[in-house]
Amino acid sequence: MKKIIIAPLCGLSALLTLTGCSTPSSTPAESPAVATASPAANTPSETPMEMDVPPSVMPADLIPAGLDTSGSGTKWGFISAQGAVGVFRLPSEESDYCKKANAHLKKSYTVNKLDGFTPYKCVTVAVDNRQGQGTVNMYGLQLLDSEGKAYDSVGLSDDKGWMYSGKNYEGGDTTVYNEGVELSNSGNEFYLNPGAKGKKTLFFKEIPANPAHVWVMPNGGFEQVEAMPVGEL
């Protein structure tokens, strides 16, 4: 059988004018691009997903130098929405005001023949508002244990023995009453303007041994920020 070889045809002059004859290239023509899925698209990423996880501690370098309270308990810190910085310790060492308040209540219960006095637990909070943009009155603290039980700071004015006048006694001795008024006034006089520093003692009927969370109300009961143990990230 004969082999028929068909050579490139350069025929019509018109066709030659447009295309000419050329030797076939030895480089294969590029294939049209085909969209393919990247292997990474079907393979789980080895890089962990980034999530906004709140820190477990407050960096110590955010606490102004010298801002502290006495005691050996765990140091907690917070920053208010307006820039005030505060610290306290849990458990906290009794302040002079705490001792005077408990002594007054014990005397009031005795003088007025009231039953059921139990000394209050106290937490002293030191606040630096020199960089703050608003006032601070340290309205309160709420401590939460690992089971979610809340322990709120309380006002001594709600105690039945606070500021009792002793009017049931001959002569109407108001010594205990006046003492309570003085203590109440000195305890409530905490109002830090921007640029000021100060300390306030808060009272609790009970304090959990190892709080899981602590919420701070720096200026009224509507603003709440979470405190964190002070340490290194």
Side-chain angles (χ1 to χ4, degrees):
M1 182 181 292
K2 290 184 179 181
K3 294 181 180 180
I4 300 175
I5 300 174
I6 301 177
L9 181 63
C10 295
L12 299 177
S13 59
L15 185 60
L16 286 171
T17 302
L18 293 174
T19 61
C21 291
S22 60
T23 303
S25 172
S26 59
T27 303
E30 295 183 0
S31 301
V34 179
T36 58
S38 169
N42 298 319
T43 305
S45 172
E46 295 180 0
T47 304
M49 182 182 296
E50 293 184 2
M51 299 179 67
D52 292 329
V53 179
S56 57
V57 298
M58 179 174 178
D61 57 5
L62 295 181
I63 306 296
L67 187 66
D68 203 351
T69 59
S70 59
S72 58
T74 301
K75 188 175 182 179
W76 292 69
F78 66 90
I79 300 177
S80 76
Q82 295 181 310
V85 182
V87 297
F88 51 91
R89 290 183 178 272
L90 294 173
S92 182
E93 188 174 281
E94 278 191 323
S95 65
D96 288 340
Y97 183 77
C98 179
K99 294 175 182 177
K100 289 178 180 179
N102 276 321
H104 162 71
L105 283 169
K106 184 178 180 179
K107 184 189 299 183
S108 177
Y109 272 67
T110 301
V111 169
N112 295 285
K113 298 181 179 179
L114 302 173
D115 296 325
F117 170 66
T118 302
Y120 285 87
K121 307 292 191 298
C122 303
V123 175
T124 299
V125 184
V127 181
D128 187 328
N129 199 27
R130 290 178 296 173
Q131 302 299 320
Q133 301 299 313
T135 59
V136 177
N137 64 11
M138 274 312 304
Y139 182 80
L141 291 178
Q142 183 185 73
L143 316 178
L144 299 173
D145 64 18
S146 58
E147 300 299 320
K149 181 180 178 180
Y151 302 76
D152 295 300
S153 57
V154 297
L156 292 186
S157 59
D158 295 330
D159 191 290
K160 62 182 179 181
W162 192 250
M163 296 198 307
Y164 250 74
S165 66
K167 60 186 177 182
N168 297 329
Y169 294 85
E170 185 177 353
D173 185 4
T174 58
T175 302
V176 177
Y177 173 81
N178 291 336
E179 182 183 79
V181 170
E182 292 177 5
L183 281 169
S184 182
N185 289 339
S186 62
N188 290 327
E189 290 174 357
F190 189 86
Y191 190 83
L192 295 184
N193 283 314
K197 295 169 60 179
K199 293 181 180 180
K200 183 174 183 178
T201 297
L202 298 174
F203 293 83
F204 293 81
K205 292 184 177 179
E206 188 179 357
I207 292 179
N210 296 296
H213 297 278
V214 178
W215 290 95
V216 184
M217 286 141 274
N219 191 26
F222 296 103
E223 177 193 340
Q224 296 189 47
V225 295
E226 187 169 16
M228 295 286 180
V230 176
E232 300 297 334
L233 288 175

